[in-house]
Amino acid sequence: MTNRITSVQNAQFKQWRKLHQAKYRKRLQTYLIEGEHLVEEALKHLPEAAFEALIISENYRGELIAEDKVDYIITQSMSDQLSQTPANQGVFAVLKMPLSDSLPQDGTHYLLIDNVQDPGNVGTMIRTADAFNYDAVILGEGSVDIYNDKVLRATQGSIWHLPVLTQNLRDSIKILKHKNIPILATTLNEQAVSYQSLDSFNACAIIMGNEGQGVSSELIKFADQSVYIPMPGQSESLNVAVATGILLSKFVNN
Amino acid sequence: MTNRITSVQNAQFKQWRKLHQAKYRKRLQTYLIEGEHLVEEALKHLPEAAFEALIISENYRGELIAEDKVDYIITQSMSDQLSQTPANQGVFAVLKMPLSDSLPQDGTHYLLIDNVQDPGNVGTMIRTADAFNYDAVILGEGSVDIYNDKVLRATQGSIWHLPVLTQNLRDSIKILKHKNIPILATTLNEQAVSYQSLDSFNACAIIMGNEGQGVSSELIKFADQSVYIPMPGQSESLNVAVATGILLSKFVNN
């Protein structure tokens, strides 16, 4: 059954707009996605029960969603208010949390993200972990909210291809060590070796840190090996998503 | 001599604000940078003649610029109008174009950017080329303006570490071929080989393309070798800056 909403005062619509803010997402345990590609990926990878609402603008002419599956039609101006992108495509979904809450039992390759703040970087790191077939991505508690719209957009849908969870990284590391998974941390300290000097691993967990400060010293202590990426040029550092790509393409999960 | 400007109607101030737009940057042949790190990098790497103005907010307390080198002090609210970042640091410079206009005579490693639109990606690609000691970055005519503030910020100052120029890429390729530099293009066509199967090169030029469409077919024709990055996961593609990092870290200029 499709409902038409025409007033910005509509309670439902007001609630969707609140999902732009992390505190309401947490309270309502839902999150908002938009755009043909992301909604298509969600439809492909999530069970029907994960969808709270499928919403289109009155001007939406795409064929992504069968007419009888559309829950709400909103006006174009409401659609522009709901959108958080410069190129609003007029198609949205409200989805139920959580994405995932436990580590895969039989995983071998893990990406751990320690305190990375930029949503585009975090989303790109998740997309990269997916590309190289990693089994899960774990964000430490200080990192950006995974339900942030810019994170979700930058993942390009990878967020639904592998478990992505938020966890205290010390706890994650304990669990991974218990599974005998070697822990690598990116750093520049004296014990660090060039990533190129290492062979691939049958299993590994790679910790990537905040761009300014790197991996926190507390977590480096738990690492079995510190690695760095040699850079012969003048740049002081790499973008953290680029560094992640270089390491994950080397330690790919084939 | 330091001038104090307190009115947003000041002609000089209005002109600086126009530098947010590409058409005025082109007309005035100047561009605006902001933030301690970027201004510091510019001071370190550019000759004095490249600076048209050094500007601080009345509240700026940093020690980056000697007092007698500050050209203008503006009010905090004007500083907030001039800034294009959420975390305005109250320090700006107006710099003269161009960054660079010719290829280095004795270069061996080149990054060619074909029609990449996202300023963060382009800036990150320049930073990455710097990290791996590339000799120049050439942006094709369809790519984003290199003087765009987001491009400059994402380079983190690398823009002044190596020549970065805008040129018709067919012309660049002709010049590079004349220098016997092998041209690699990233693609998924039938002739493509995995980048991992190649040895490092003493010299090479790598063409990276638009995220959606890849390298234009016209340019692929000129390539000596098409390469791809194997991805065993579900992600359809990599972010273009991440892909650049993977290739440049493999074909590094040592």
Side-chain angles (χ1 to χ4, degrees):
Chain A
M1 158 105 184
T2 306
N3 292 290
R4 191 172 282 269
I5 302 182
T6 55
S7 164
V8 292
Q9 296 306 321
N10 177 284
Q12 190 67 272
F13 180 73
K14 281 160 88 172
Q15 202 174 73
W16 297 334
R17 286 197 64 191
K18 284 187 178 160
L19 298 178
H20 295 169
Q21 293 173 61
K23 68 172 176 182
Y24 288 107
R25 289 195 293 268
K26 203 168 173 184
R27 190 179 302 167
L28 299 165
Q29 287 291 302
T30 53
Y31 61 106
L32 178 73
I33 61 167
E34 69 171 283
E36 291 226 298
H37 180 69
L38 265 196
V39 173
E40 185 178 11
E41 284 286 317
L43 287 166
K44 209 186 289 176
H45 294 279
L46 293 178
E48 214 172 312
F51 288 81
E52 190 161 297
L54 282 167
I55 307 153
I56 60 170
S57 149
E58 59 193 355
N59 292 338
Y60 178 68
R61 295 285 170 270
E63 290 173 357
L64 192 57
I65 312 168
E67 216 172 298
D68 62 330
K69 295 280 184 197
V70 171
D71 299 305
Y72 297 94
I73 300 176
I74 58 179
T75 66
Q76 184 59 39
S77 92
M78 290 166 79
S79 165
D80 289 336
Q81 284 180 45
L82 196 57
S83 172
Q84 293 173 95
T85 63
N88 174 21
Q89 295 180 312
V91 54
F92 306 85
V94 177
L95 301 172
K96 288 179 197 149
M97 292 185 182
L99 277 164
S100 37
D101 49 11
S102 60
L103 288 176
Q105 277 306 309
D106 52 356
T108 54
H109 286 66
Y110 297 86
L111 172 63
L112 275 57
I113 301 179
D114 176 29
N115 203 23
V116 176
Q117 300 298 326
D118 181 85
N121 280 341
V122 169
T124 302
M125 290 161 83
I126 293 167
R127 179 180 173 190
T128 306
D130 178 22
F132 295 112
N133 208 25
Y134 270 52
D135 294 297
V137 176
I138 311 169
L139 281 89
E141 287 157 347
S143 291
V144 66
D145 177 24
I146 44 177
Y147 301 99
N148 172 297
D149 67 294
K150 286 182 189 153
V151 172
L152 296 170
R153 264 206 307 283
T155 70
Q156 299 256 324
S158 287
I159 195 100
W160 302 301
H161 297 170
L162 77 171
V164 178
L165 42 144
T166 301
Q167 205 172 58
N168 182 304
L169 292 184
R170 273 177 305 174
D171 296 342
S172 321
I173 290 171
K174 264 183 218 158
I175 297 167
L176 295 169
K177 280 188 173 272
H178 196 73
K179 292 175 187 264
N180 291 317
I181 307 233
I183 315 285
L184 305 188
T186 50
T187 161
L188 282 169
N189 74 17
E190 288 171 6
Q191 285 76 44
V193 299
S194 164
Y195 79 104
Q196 293 163 318
S197 70
L198 299 172
D199 291 326
S200 343
F201 293 94
N202 294 328
C204 67
I206 298 181
I207 317 176
M208 300 298 301
N210 175 282
E211 280 223 52
Q213 293 133 42
V215 176
S216 63
S217 53
E218 193 205 342
L219 294 181
I220 289 178
K221 281 188 292 189
F222 292 111
D224 298 297
Q225 180 67 63
S226 295
V227 295
Y228 73 95
I229 300 171
M231 294 184 296
Q234 292 181 72
S235 173
E236 286 162 23
S237 61
L238 289 164
N239 168 283
V240 65
V242 170
T244 302
I246 293 170
L247 294 176
L248 271 53
S249 66
K250 164 84 180 176
F251 304 118
V252 55
N253 182 15
N254 276 312
Chain B
M1 157 102 183
T2 306
N3 293 289
R4 190 172 283 270
I5 303 182
T6 55
S7 164
V8 292
Q9 296 306 321
N10 176 283
Q12 191 66 270
F13 179 73
K14 282 160 86 173
Q15 201 176 74
W16 297 334
R17 287 196 64 191
K18 284 188 178 161
L19 298 178
H20 295 170
Q21 293 174 61
K23 70 173 175 181
Y24 288 107
R25 289 195 292 269
K26 202 168 173 184
R27 191 180 301 167
L28 298 166
Q29 286 291 300
T30 53
Y31 61 106
L32 178 74
I33 61 166
E34 69 171 283
E36 291 227 298
H37 181 69
L38 264 196
V39 173
E40 186 179 10
E41 283 287 317
L43 287 167
K44 208 186 290 176
H45 293 280
L46 292 178
E48 214 173 311
F51 288 81
E52 191 160 296
L54 283 167
I55 307 154
I56 61 170
S57 149
E58 59 192 355
N59 293 339
Y60 178 69
R61 294 287 170 269
E63 290 173 357
L64 192 59
I65 310 167
E67 217 171 295
D68 61 329
K69 295 280 182 195
V70 171
D71 299 306
Y72 296 93
I73 299 176
I74 57 179
T75 67
Q76 184 59 40
S77 92
M78 291 166 79
S79 167
D80 289 337
Q81 285 181 46
L82 196 56
S83 173
Q84 293 173 95
T85 63
N88 175 22
Q89 295 179 312
V91 54
F92 305 85
V94 177
L95 302 172
K96 290 179 195 150
M97 291 185 184
L99 278 164
S100 37
D101 49 13
S102 60
L103 287 176
Q105 276 307 309
D106 53 356
T108 53
H109 287 67
Y110 297 86
L111 172 63
L112 276 56
I113 301 179
D114 177 30
N115 204 23
V116 176
Q117 299 297 326
D118 181 84
N121 280 341
V122 169
T124 302
M125 291 161 83
I126 294 167
R127 179 180 173 190
T128 306
D130 179 22
F132 295 111
N133 209 24
Y134 270 53
D135 294 297
V137 176
I138 311 168
L139 281 89
E141 287 156 347
S143 291
V144 66
D145 178 22
I146 43 175
Y147 300 99
N148 173 298
D149 67 295
K150 287 182 187 151
V151 173
L152 296 171
R153 262 204 309 281
T155 70
Q156 299 258 324
S158 286
I159 195 102
W160 302 301
H161 298 169
L162 76 172
V164 179
L165 42 145
T166 300
Q167 203 172 61
N168 181 305
L169 292 184
R170 273 178 306 175
D171 296 342
S172 320
I173 290 170
K174 264 183 218 159
I175 297 167
L176 294 169
K177 280 188 173 271
H178 197 74
K179 292 173 187 269
N180 291 317
I181 307 236
I183 314 285
L184 306 189
T186 49
T187 161
L188 282 169
N189 74 16
E190 289 170 6
Q191 286 77 44
V193 299
S194 163
Y195 78 104
Q196 293 162 318
S197 70
L198 299 172
D199 292 326
S200 341
F201 293 94
N202 293 327
C204 67
I206 297 181
I207 317 176
M208 301 298 301
N210 176 281
E211 279 222 50
Q213 292 133 44
V215 176
S216 64
S217 52
E218 192 205 345
L219 294 182
I220 289 177
K221 280 188 295 189
F222 292 111
D224 298 296
Q225 180 67 63
S226 294
V227 295
Y228 73 95
I229 299 171
M231 294 184 296
Q234 292 180 71
S235 171
E236 286 162 23
S237 60
L238 288 165
N239 167 283
V240 66
V242 170
T244 302
I246 294 169
L247 294 176
L248 270 52
S249 65
K250 164 84 179 173
F251 304 119
V252 55
N253 182 17
N254 276 312

